[in-house]
Amino acid sequence: MSDKQQIYKDVRQRIEAIVQDDTDWIATLSTVCCELHAAFEHFHWTGFYRVVRPGHLQVGPYQGGHGCVDIAFGRGVCGTSALEKRTIRLDDVDSFPGHIACSSTTRSEIVTPVVTNSGEVIAVLDVDSDWPAAFDGTDQEALESLCAWLGSASRQNG
Ligand code: SME
């Protein structure tokens, strides 16, 4: 197991220990943001966009500088990830037409949708880095696993 995989394992254990059986959605998402953001040097903006009305993502909770508040499905990296229900990992944000630049220092990004057992997108997890090509397959695998856990039935109601 690589150092990074070990950190993800530790982060995941901490998150699950902290939230335990608490089903409050915002408390859970806040804990995830905090633990991820504090654990990794390459995470410069770490947060969620939640589906608060059909076809729209609303920012929060997050850690880092301000994020744009509302993103329609299909717009930017987050909206595309939500619409297409897939992770988008960009070594260079400028390679993605329509990338929404909330910070001019962002160079790379990974966005993973949170999908319920019934196939509904309820949020996306967005991580931005000021480093180019900051995210690799280990990040993607761990963040997808975390988002699958968040989307599982036990965490949806709060
Ligand atoms: N880059 C994202 C917008 C969110 S912020 O970077 C925090 C996008 O293109 O959807």
Side-chain angles (χ1 to χ4, degrees), residues 45-47 49 57 59 62 65-68 71-72 75-81 90 93 96-103 106 109 111 124 126-128:
W45 193 96
T46 310
Y49 281 87
L57 296 161
V59 76
Y62 67 93
H66 70 251
C68 66
I71 298 176
R75 280 199 60 234
V77 187
C78 292
T80 304
S81 171
L90 300 173
V93 292
F96 190 93
H99 166 259
I100 301 165
C102 295
S103 163
T106 298
E109 175 165 7
V111 180
V124 298
D126 177 16
V127 188
D128 296 352

Side-chain angles (χ1 to χ4, degrees), residues 16 19-25 28 116-117 148-158:
E16 295 192 27
V19 300
Q20 292 188 356
D21 296 329
D22 194 316
T23 55
D24 184 87
W25 183 229
T28 299
T116 65
N117 294 344
W149 175 72
L150 288 169
S152 67
S154 61
R155 307 240 65 89
Q156 289 165 34
N157 303 315

